[in-house]
Amino acid sequence: MAQNLLFYQLLLIVLVLICLLIHVWWPDTPRATLHRPLKPDKPQRKRSKARKPFPGLLHKPLCEACEHRLDARPTAPGAPPPVMIFTRGRRRTVDTQQQFCPAPDCSYYGWLARGNIRANGHPGGQPWRQLQCVSCDGYFSETHGTIVHGKRASVELIVRVIACLAEGLGVRGTARVFEIDPNTVLGWLVEAAEQLKAFSAYFLHELQLNQVQLDELYAVLSEVRDGDMGEAEAIARLSRSPHWVWTAIDPESKLLLSAQVGERTLAMAQAMLHQLAQLLAPGCVPFFLSDGYPHYLTAIVTHFGHWVPPPRCQARGPAPKPRWMPLPELLYAQVVKTVRKRRLVEVKHRVVFGTPAAVAKVLAACGWQINTAFVERLNLSLRQRVAAIGRRSATPCKSQGGLCHQLVLFQVYHNFVLPHASLRQALAESVPTNGHGSAKVWRPCTPAMAAALTDHVWSLKEVLLYRVPPWQQL
């Protein structure tokens, strides 16, 4: 065994020596080394930070509301009828200037302050007056066309129920407070929403605005939360196409211009801007502010753009196709926020249309900078006063229509009924109070008063009893 081990050791030493001799004495073949010239690295092209002009669109973006001519305001059928003047008899003491004849066959139908309406007292001891149209000899109640018409419940009860809903109390909670059926409260809400929608459309028209802020607010409906639909469908709906509340506000007067419910899509952005374009006066192009949602740009260009023929680059050949470009006076800026782990880490201001100098000039009149703070503050008011979209709310709406009814109520309540502390006006002289409190030095002001749509603070009862004419008066 020892001899075999010694033999293997000697054999290993001999092999190592042979390898060393071969490595030392074996002639090396010369290798021709090619020296390639080193090329300098291509310098990286720096990305220009200069804002690129909008190239324009070859086709005008599609807006379904514009194609079908939706939301067209009703116009008067013709010239107003002559004013009736009565020189004989006792002078009337009841003011009927805000009343109109509801009979469609009457020539005075829908016209205010034409002298054709007379008051006939309270027949049968009823709380409401009976009015008569002298032209068609028709009789109607002064509450015709309002929520209280034909109701057995008292007006005070109906007004208080609607006021509770406007302050953010749910339908069932309101029913428990006033000890009435929830279906009754829901029915009153639906009727009030129909009347208030016409009321808002009658007063919000031909607005002269300098700025408009846009935003969208997430909302969850009970059919998604309760799992009435399939799990896969619910996940897809929540992740890709949930319901959103689209809002638009005038930051100067705090006037809520629009509040719509829909998915976060281009079609909804087009519908939102279409309604805003219907509210503005002819030739009015306000300064738009929004977040970084890309569909706002397309919707704004659709409703505030025009065809522009590009200049010819060649003397021969066909003329270049015109492009759909934004109006020269259109200004649009975005506030792009970066959120990580529910924390705001970066805010960028981006001027999309117009020049930074023109944007700064518009904002300098109010002492502001580019921001969307006013519409974001509106979102807080929405969550507080609309029970269906409150955070961790136990009273979500069953469908999209129920949420729309509450938003219509909130819009009128916000614009006409609720005074805003930031809009109050100082009185020239202090007004003493009836009690022992301090004198009044401020005049309350609502967004409708700040926008010169009305001259006083409306009460909710006054709003619900207002008979809305079918068209704008001349």
Side-chain angles (χ1 to χ4, degrees):
M1 185 68 181
Q3 294 179 357
N4 294 337
L5 181 62
L6 180 61
F7 173 76
Y8 285 120
Q9 291 178 353
L10 292 175
L11 181 61
L12 179 62
I13 294 173
V14 172
L15 292 176
V16 171
L17 291 175
I18 292 174
C19 292
L20 291 175
L21 292 175
I22 293 175
H23 179 72
V24 173
W25 290 343
W26 191 269
D28 295 336
T29 56
R31 296 179 180 179
T33 58
L34 299 177
H35 298 281
R36 296 180 179 178
L38 298 177
K39 295 182 179 180
D41 296 337
K42 188 176 182 180
Q44 295 182 357
R45 185 177 180 181
K46 295 183 178 180
R47 188 175 181 179
S48 177
K49 296 183 179 180
R51 187 167 57 92
K52 297 181 180 179
F54 185 70
L57 304 173
L58 293 178
H59 303 281
K60 180 181 177 181
L62 175 64
C63 176
E64 296 182 359
C66 294
E67 293 292 333
H68 299 287
R69 299 182 181 274
L70 298 179
D71 296 335
R73 293 185 177 273
T75 57
V83 179
M84 292 186 178
I85 300 177
F86 300 93
T87 58
R88 300 180 60 183
R90 181 174 58 89
R91 184 178 179 180
R92 297 285 177 171
T93 58
V94 179
D95 185 15
T96 59
Q97 296 298 316
Q98 296 300 323
Q99 300 291 341
F100 60 90
C101 180
D105 298 335
C106 181
S107 59
Y108 284 81
Y109 165 69
W111 292 103
L112 299 176
R114 308 312 296 179
N116 62 308
I117 304 298
R118 288 187 175 184
N120 287 339
H122 303 263
Q126 298 180 0
W128 305 110
R129 290 188 179 92
Q130 185 186 58
L131 304 179
Q132 179 189 12
C133 176
V134 181
S135 176
C136 63
D137 293 332
Y139 294 89
F140 61 95
S141 174
E142 62 179 339
T143 60
H144 184 276
T146 65
I147 185 177
V148 300
H149 182 66
K151 296 290 190 303
R152 294 184 178 181
S154 63
V155 181
E156 288 72 16
L157 177 60
I158 297 177
V159 172
R160 289 179 182 179
V161 167
I162 301 300
C164 286
L165 296 175
E167 286 292 341
L169 194 60
V171 173
R172 294 188 179 275
T174 303
R176 288 191 295 268
V177 169
F178 294 98
E179 299 180 354
I180 55 180
D181 189 77
N183 294 326
T184 302
V185 177
L186 183 60
W188 290 352
L189 174 60
V190 174
E191 294 182 21
E194 295 177 358
Q195 177 185 347
L196 296 179
K197 185 177 180 180
F199 179 89
S200 182
Y202 180 75
F203 282 93
L204 298 183
H205 66 96
E206 296 186 359
L207 302 177
Q208 288 287 349
L209 305 179
N210 297 324
Q211 303 179 44
V212 174
Q213 292 188 4
L214 308 168
D215 198 12
E216 58 278 354
L217 179 67
Y218 178 75
V220 178
L221 302 182
S222 64
E223 60 182 1
V224 180
R225 189 199 64 178
D226 298 339
D228 294 340
M229 59 181 64
E231 181 179 358
E233 185 180 358
I235 293 176
R237 187 169 182 176
L238 284 172
S239 59
R240 293 192 297 269
S241 59
H243 285 79
W244 294 78
V245 178
W246 297 68
T247 56
I249 187 176
D250 175 19
E252 296 183 6
S253 64
K254 311 300 185 296
L255 187 69
L256 178 56
L257 303 173
S258 178
Q260 301 186 28
V261 182
E263 299 177 353
R264 204 165 185 250
T265 58
L266 174 60
M268 193 62 202
Q270 294 281 22
M272 185 72 175
L273 267 297
H274 177 83
Q275 184 177 4
L276 290 178
Q278 298 293 322
L279 300 180
L280 298 176
C284 177
V285 182
F287 168 43
F288 290 95
L289 279 159
S290 72
D291 54 10
Y293 188 56
H295 289 327
Y296 278 129
L297 185 147
T298 305
I300 291 175
V301 173
T302 302
H303 297 87
F304 297 92
H306 65 305
W307 290 106
V308 176
R312 295 180 63 95
C313 299
Q314 299 177 357
R316 297 181 179 180
K321 296 182 179 180
R323 292 182 175 270
W324 186 261
M325 298 288 292
L327 296 174
E329 62 270 22
L330 177 62
L331 301 177
Y332 175 43
Q334 294 179 345
V335 179
V336 183
K337 297 182 179 180
T338 304
V339 180
R340 295 176 182 172
K341 296 181 180 181
R342 297 184 179 182
R343 290 189 177 183
L344 183 65
V345 297
E346 187 180 8
V347 178
K348 294 182 180 180
H349 297 161
R350 181 189 305 163
V351 178
V352 182
F353 297 142
T355 61
V359 171
K361 182 178 179 181
V362 175
L363 297 175
C366 302
W368 299 338
Q369 297 178 353
I370 297 178
N371 68 85
T372 55
F374 296 95
V375 70
E376 291 173 359
R377 176 61 181 84
L378 174 67
N379 293 341
L380 176 61
S381 299
L382 276 168
R383 292 200 182 275
Q384 290 177 341
R385 300 186 183 277
V386 180
I389 60 176
R391 294 190 181 276
R392 299 181 180 180
S393 173
T395 58
C397 285
K398 296 293 182 181
S399 62
Q400 181 175 335
L403 181 55
C404 292
H405 296 154
Q406 295 193 20
L407 290 176
V408 171
L409 174 60
F410 172 81
Q411 182 180 9
V412 176
Y413 192 75
H414 172 89
N415 288 339
F416 294 88
V417 180
L418 193 64
H420 291 238
S422 60
L423 300 176
R424 61 182 185 178
Q425 303 170 355
L427 296 175
E429 297 180 358
S430 59
V431 179
T433 58
N434 297 329
H436 300 284
S438 59
K440 296 182 180 179
V441 295
W442 298 97
R443 179 196 178 195
C445 183
T446 61
M449 295 173 61
L453 301 180
T454 183
D455 57 353
H456 67 284
V457 179
W458 289 61
S459 65
L460 188 58
K461 180 179 180 180
E462 186 181 3
V463 171
L464 294 176
L465 293 178
Y466 186 84
R467 298 185 64 222
V468 182
W471 53 72
Q472 298 294 331
Q473 305 297 309
L474 302 178

